Amino acid sequence: MTLARLAARHGVATVHSPADGRDVPVPEATVVAVLAALGVDASTPEAVTAALEAAERADRERLLPPTLVHWRTGDGGDGPGGGGTHAPGTDPHENAGPYESTAPYGEPPAYPRDAPLRPPSHLPPGTRLQVTTEDGAVVLGDDWSGLPLGVHTVEAEAPDGRTATATLIVSPARVPGPARRAYGLLVQLYSLLSGRSWGMGDLGDLRELVTWAGRRHGAGFVQVNPLHAGVPGAPADPSPYRPSSRRFPDPVHLRIEEIPEYALIGPERREELDRILADAAELRERVLGKGALIDRDAVWEVKRRALELLLTSVELGPGRRADFHDFLAGRGRALEDHATYQALAERHGPHWRSWPEALRTPRAAEAAVRADPALAARVDFHCRLAWLTDRQLADAAGAAREAGMAVGIVHDLAVGVHPEGSDAWAGQEAFAAGMSVGAPPDAFNSRGQDWGLPPWRPDALAAAGYAPYRGLLRELLRHAGALRIDHVMGLFRLWWVPEGREPTEGTYVRYDADAMLAVLVLEAHRAGALVIGEDLGTVEPGVREELARRGVFGTSVLWFERDWAGTGRPLPPEEWRAECVATATTHDLPSTAARLSGDHVVLRHRLGLLAGDLERERAADRAETAEWRGLFERLGLLPEGPGEEAEIRAVHRYLLATPARMVGVWLPDAVGDRRPQNLPGTWDEYPNWRLPVAGPDGQPLTLEQLAASPRAHALLSELHARTAPPGARRV
């Protein structure tokens, strides 16, 4: 029991409950390993006792927790809930966060209620308080009622001489919602090539897509895959969900010809540029005309050559140089660290744990950069790439606004980063060494999952006032109309798997969800952006309710929306939640054409992913699809009769019949593509993340061909007509 008490105080579960409601004990070795990753020695009974006594003593002696949270009504849209100052671990009726847990695991977490903004009530009488706001204003005493939204610093001094400093997050009650109902497109950007792409979709294609979709078809948003920086080196992991850095975008997405300096390349370098352009055209032709897969490594190699030519042969003008310097100043040390990692990875490989000892931390590596002009030049090169990419992201966001999109571009935040990448190197103190994020066993995967992503330490985040998280969100929201958060349940708890153990031997580690949400809502409020949570799969009780309370939209996929607590039949459209993005599929699921035809079952059988007999699985799939078809017919959503194109339109008519305020169209569905972009459970067996958008015959389609497609036009025109505000021009 002593180990369980110690684990609970640090947010580490000693038992978890799968979907069937059973309580499954966590192996003791797992608990000990996870506590070690949190800096707590539990290796012996004596160590456990000493650690527990130390934790209890620290609680008694501390004046303030590292981070305080206050929700303020009237700033982000007043809904249920509101204000309340939350000090993790100080109120037995609150979710205790990473320091102590007062409720058994498996019970719904409790959240603070409304309260005036005031200091924690446990402070000794006579404690002197000072708050320094973000803008440098100083507030003395315990009247905090006038504090603005933001991230402030609290200093306390008790009569006995004890002092403490804490971060105070004052957040609006809710994320802003969309001004009106909207539909939009969901696309993996790399998969959408135009006639100008260099072998994969780029930011020029994104700008064209949002302009066409917004102006021609009244789309309110375009959601793209994470554009995070990938781990350098070849072969690179093609998954956009296992990046090197979530904070900075990948320059592989640059449209080279639209960099202003491109037009200034002199005649003495034209022959070299022509060779690069010829190689780029060959990459494009391989994918679009010869059936090759998207080769991100090859694309980057050609673009790297072009960028080095461009940045070494053309001087920046005074205005451009001033803009670059402003960008450097705004990004600060975070960008310097990222660019340093990129430069060092070119020389020593991407696995920083194998670098020379003097280079394994950012501050130690600074000396190496100062002493090596060639290395410093490469750091500058990568800073310039980040700047160029940021500016093209801004151009795409501006195009979305100019096209009249109600929301704009929805960017995607991956759940974690590669253990050998830039973020893990630059922020080593914030990550749990020897741990990986995953998922416990469930009805769909009896072995659980290990995603190979190191988790953030909740105690380190709190101690830093959530600065790493704040900086990450601020960067991603710079050019976003909305932010989609992959596995949004990770704001509450994550499944940690110790290195060398199976996913079944992991355990949940709880985060201070109140603080995580407060930072998220504050940064979204500042950016004027929506937040969408990917909340598919196993979700603990109370989480969806708290996300909704804070204005975070959920994700509802048609095939999963059933009356699970009752009949098990498809959920009637009027019973869907309104605060969600309603879709027919996602990047991890079969396309709608494959779902309707049963092709997805055959594919999974061919790859050895079916647990049961093929014919039995096909029969079950046909019965499920027939049930949905029958519902479409009864609701009058299939007047054209049976047929793949008509049925795909019926699926989206059904989504429009729900109260969902955002309806997403998987762009490949608009042209009848039958292949998933990613097939979970496969690696080399299936070309995950490397397929271009194609028609029903599997032949790749360019952005220009997609825009001219009568099939896409018919579907999007109907969505436009059903979501356009009164009086709007309709196509």
Side-chain angles (χ1 to χ4, degrees):
M1 284 300 295
T2 306
L3 178 61
R5 287 175 55 202
L6 179 64
R9 296 189 72 83
H10 293 277
V12 179
T14 54
V15 63
H16 72 95
S17 300
D20 60 9
R22 294 177 297 112
D23 285 343
V24 177
V26 174
E28 183 174 307
T30 295
V31 176
V32 171
V34 170
L35 285 171
L38 292 169
V40 179
D41 182 6
S43 58
T44 66
E46 295 77 15
V48 170
T49 300
L52 188 57
E53 290 174 352
E56 292 172 344
R57 183 170 56 253
D59 288 343
R60 290 191 302 269
E61 295 176 353
R62 73 181 183 187
L63 286 177
L64 296 172
T67 300
L68 296 161
V69 171
H70 173 72
W71 296 98
R72 199 175 80 185
T73 60
D75 295 294
D78 296 342
T85 305
H86 168 54
T90 62
D91 187 332
H93 301 293
E94 295 178 2
N95 179 32
Y99 297 97
E100 55 237 3
S101 178
T102 58
Y105 277 85
E107 291 187 5
Y111 298 96
R113 302 294 100 190
D114 299 357
L117 176 52
R118 58 175 181 259
S121 59
H122 73 284
L123 289 171
T127 298
R128 291 190 296 177
L129 291 167
Q130 174 179 305
V131 178
T132 304
T133 65
E134 279 187 334
D135 59 7
V138 175
V139 176
L140 299 175
D142 59 2
D143 182 6
W144 293 359
S145 57
L147 290 178
L149 297 175
V151 182
H152 314 308
T153 300
V154 180
E155 295 173 276
E157 183 178 356
D160 61 7
R162 286 180 297 151
T163 61
T165 302
T167 299
L168 171 62
I169 302 166
V170 182
S171 173
R174 290 171 58 83
V175 175
R180 59 178 174 83
R181 193 183 200 198
Y183 92 91
L185 306 177
L186 319 177
V187 64
Q188 299 281 290
L189 180 59
Y190 60 82
S191 72
L192 186 64
L193 286 74
S194 70
R196 297 175 61 192
S197 305
W198 289 23
M200 62 180 280
D202 59 34
L203 291 172
D205 297 322
L206 178 58
R207 192 194 65 255
E208 291 287 343
L209 177 65
V210 299
T211 301
W212 166 74
R215 293 183 182 277
R216 185 75 179 90
H217 289 291
F221 64 92
V222 168
Q223 177 181 304
V224 296
N225 56 282
L227 303 182
H228 309 321
V231 177
D237 186 341
S239 172
Y241 291 91
R242 200 165 182 245
S244 173
S245 174
R246 296 188 293 175
R247 186 160 181 161
F248 294 100
D250 198 314
V252 76
H253 300 111
L254 281 168
R255 171 66 64 84
I256 300 296
E257 298 92 332
E258 293 178 5
I259 297 171
E261 286 72 31
Y262 177 87
L264 303 178
I265 293 178
E268 71 281 1
R269 307 299 296 271
R270 290 301 308 185
E271 184 176 343
E272 184 178 353
L273 178 62
D274 287 344
R275 288 195 297 270
I276 293 172
L277 294 175
D279 290 341
E282 172 60 23
L283 284 174
R284 180 171 57 247
E285 175 59 19
R286 280 188 216 165
V287 175
L288 296 176
K290 299 179 180 178
L293 298 174
I294 293 168
D295 187 341
R296 182 189 180 102
D297 293 340
V299 172
W300 172 240
E301 175 58 25
V302 175
K303 288 193 176 184
R304 182 192 58 76
R305 288 164 49 203
L307 288 163
E308 289 180 342
L309 169 65
L310 188 61
L311 298 184
T312 57
S313 61
V314 179
E315 288 289 331
L316 294 177
R320 289 278 286 168
R321 183 168 294 280
D323 183 53
F324 175 48
H325 287 165
D326 282 350
F327 178 77
L328 291 176
R331 309 286 76 73
R333 174 164 281 178
L335 175 59
E336 183 180 346
D337 287 348
H338 174 66
T340 299
Y341 167 86
Q342 295 291 110
L344 291 172
E346 289 177 336
R347 183 174 293 186
H348 300 286
H351 302 294
W352 57 266
R353 288 179 178 83
S354 65
W355 291 353
E357 186 70 32
L359 303 177
R360 292 181 193 170
T361 63
R363 303 290 71 82
E366 286 179 349
V369 173
R370 287 194 299 268
D372 188 336
L375 188 59
R378 294 307 292 177
V379 172
D380 179 72
F381 174 75
H382 288 289
C383 285
R384 291 177 69 176
L385 297 191
W387 166 60
L388 294 173
T389 312
D390 178 85
R391 294 311 186 240
Q392 289 197 2
L393 282 167
D395 289 344
R401 290 191 297 270
E402 292 170 6
M405 287 191 163
V407 177
I409 297 174
V410 182
H411 285 284
D412 200 348
L413 172 61
V415 71
V417 295
H418 196 286
E420 294 289 351
S422 166
D423 285 358
W425 175 74
Q428 295 170 45
E429 67 286 347
F431 289 96
M435 295 290 140
S436 176
V437 174
D442 56 29
F444 299 98
N445 193 325
S446 61
R447 300 174 59 187
Q449 300 177 60
D450 182 345
W451 302 330
L453 309 170
W456 265 335
R457 287 179 54 162
D459 58 331
L461 287 178
Y466 292 83
Y469 181 47
R470 288 188 277 122
L472 168 62
L473 292 175
R474 197 164 296 180
E475 286 297 330
L476 288 173
L477 288 164
R478 280 166 53 78
H479 307 305
L483 181 64
R484 174 190 180 270
I485 300 182
D486 194 40
H487 194 71
V488 72
M489 299 82 78
L491 299 181
F492 296 75
R493 65 179 186 177
L494 282 171
W495 185 257
W496 287 22
V497 181
E499 184 177 353
R501 295 188 177 274
E502 294 297 320
T504 53
E505 299 178 88
T507 189
Y508 279 115
V509 175
R510 191 169 293 283
Y511 292 75
D512 181 9
D514 212 44
M516 298 289 279
L517 282 170
V519 172
L520 175 63
V521 172
L522 174 63
E523 294 300 337
H525 170 83
R526 287 171 156 170
L530 282 66
V531 178
I532 301 159
E534 185 271 295
D535 56 351
L536 303 174
T538 302
V539 184
E540 67 176 323
V543 166
R544 285 197 175 103
E545 291 77 7
E546 181 62 12
L547 290 171
R549 180 174 178 245
R550 297 305 174 197
V552 177
F553 274 34
T555 302
S556 293
V557 177
L558 181 133
W559 310 101
F560 300 155
E561 291 296 315
R562 291 178 171 269
D563 181 13
W564 297 112
T567 64
R569 293 175 180 171
L571 195 66
E574 65 274 11
E575 294 185 21
W576 284 42
R577 53 183 170 172
E579 279 65 43
C580 75
V581 178
T583 72
T585 190
T586 73
H587 59 268
D588 282 333
L589 296 172
S591 69
T592 304
R595 176 81 67 171
L596 292 168
S597 65
D599 284 2
H600 69 110
V601 178
V602 176
L603 175 61
R604 292 176 64 227
H605 171 71
R606 179 166 58 83
L607 296 173
L609 299 177
L610 284 188
D613 175 74
L614 173 61
E615 289 310 313
R616 186 163 56 249
E617 293 277 355
R618 294 183 70 176
D621 182 69
R622 283 193 296 269
E624 180 183 3
T625 305
E627 188 176 27
W628 282 102
R629 281 195 183 98
L631 180 57
F632 299 154
E633 291 170 351
R634 289 195 300 275
L635 294 175
L637 303 177
L638 198 49
E640 304 94 336
E644 178 185 288
E645 185 175 347
E647 289 169 1
I648 290 176
R649 292 175 67 179
V651 165
H652 291 90
R653 289 167 183 154
Y654 189 90
L655 297 177
L656 290 169
T658 73
R661 298 187 67 192
M662 297 176 72
V663 174
V665 180
W666 177 238
L667 188 58
D669 278 352
V671 289
D673 197 340
R674 292 176 176 268
R675 306 157 310 161
Q677 276 295 316
N678 178 50
L679 195 58
T682 63
W683 185 250
D684 292 330
E685 305 94 329
Y686 186 80
N688 296 317
W689 317 112
R690 289 172 286 172
L691 292 170
V693 173
D697 58 0
Q699 293 300 309
L701 296 175
T702 64
L703 172 57
E704 294 85 357
Q705 290 169 325
L706 189 147
S709 164
R711 178 170 179 163
H713 177 80
L715 175 63
L716 301 186
S717 294
E718 184 165 349
L719 285 153
H720 182 197
R722 297 279 298 277
T723 57
R729 183 181 66 85
R730 300 183 182 182
V731 293

